[in-house]
Amino acid sequence: QVQLVESGGGSVQTGGSLRLSCAASAYTYRLAWFRQAPGKEREGVAGITSNHLTTYADFVKGRFTISRDNAKNTLYLQMNSLKPEDTAMYYCAAAPSSGLILGPVYEYDYWGLGTQVTVSS
């Protein structure tokens, strides 16, 4: 069992930045950030493997950066140039097995409780 705890969410204005963190209780091969806005499905934002291969959803490319510190079992998401449409609950997810760098929701066995990001115009 892997426990995930997100932090770093908050409220910012358009164009602002936030850095999310996710502390994991154990090492896992794949980590990812997902988000879910009210009334919408959960969607993948960015994924990273243990050897730091990364991939991003098109809607965050060039603005968000995912990284991980394997020694600390911690995942990060640096979010720059935030837009109102980035407003959502952001979740950290972990998958012990190999697969797509950013896989579908069902591939991730462990989830955090989420951290809220609100971007105002």
Side-chain angles (χ1 to χ4, degrees):
Q1 190 79 5
V2 178
Q3 295 180 331
L4 303 171
V5 179
E6 303 97 335
S7 60
S11 297
V12 296
Q13 292 188 328
T14 297
S17 298
L18 284 172
R19 189 191 194 206
L20 305 183
S21 298
C22 172
S25 61
Y27 164 86
T28 53
Y29 181 67
R30 288 188 292 160
L31 292 169
W33 289 99
F34 287 77
R35 71 185 188 186
Q36 188 168 17
K40 294 188 176 182
E41 292 187 353
R42 192 167 297 190
E43 60 184 359
V45 174
I48 187 168
T49 64
S50 61
N51 56 348
H52 304 281
L53 295 176
T54 62
T55 194
Y56 298 89
D58 287 344
F59 51 79
V60 302
K61 281 182 180 177
R63 300 189 298 124
F64 291 10
T65 302
I66 189 171
S67 61
R68 63 188 290 174
D69 185 332
N70 289 336
K72 297 181 179 179
N73 287 332
T74 303
L75 175 69
Y76 303 99
L77 185 68
Q78 178 66 43
M79 305 186 296
N80 298 328
S81 302
L82 283 161
K83 305 175 182 180
E85 50 264 45
D86 293 319
T87 295
M89 186 73 79
Y90 283 72
Y91 297 91
C92 172
S97 59
S98 61
L100 295 175
I101 299 174
L102 179 60
V105 169
Y106 65 80
E107 288 190 358
Y108 293 84
D109 297 321
Y110 307 105
W111 293 84
L113 295 179
T115 185
Q116 178 68 37
V117 172
T118 302
V119 184
S120 58
S121 58

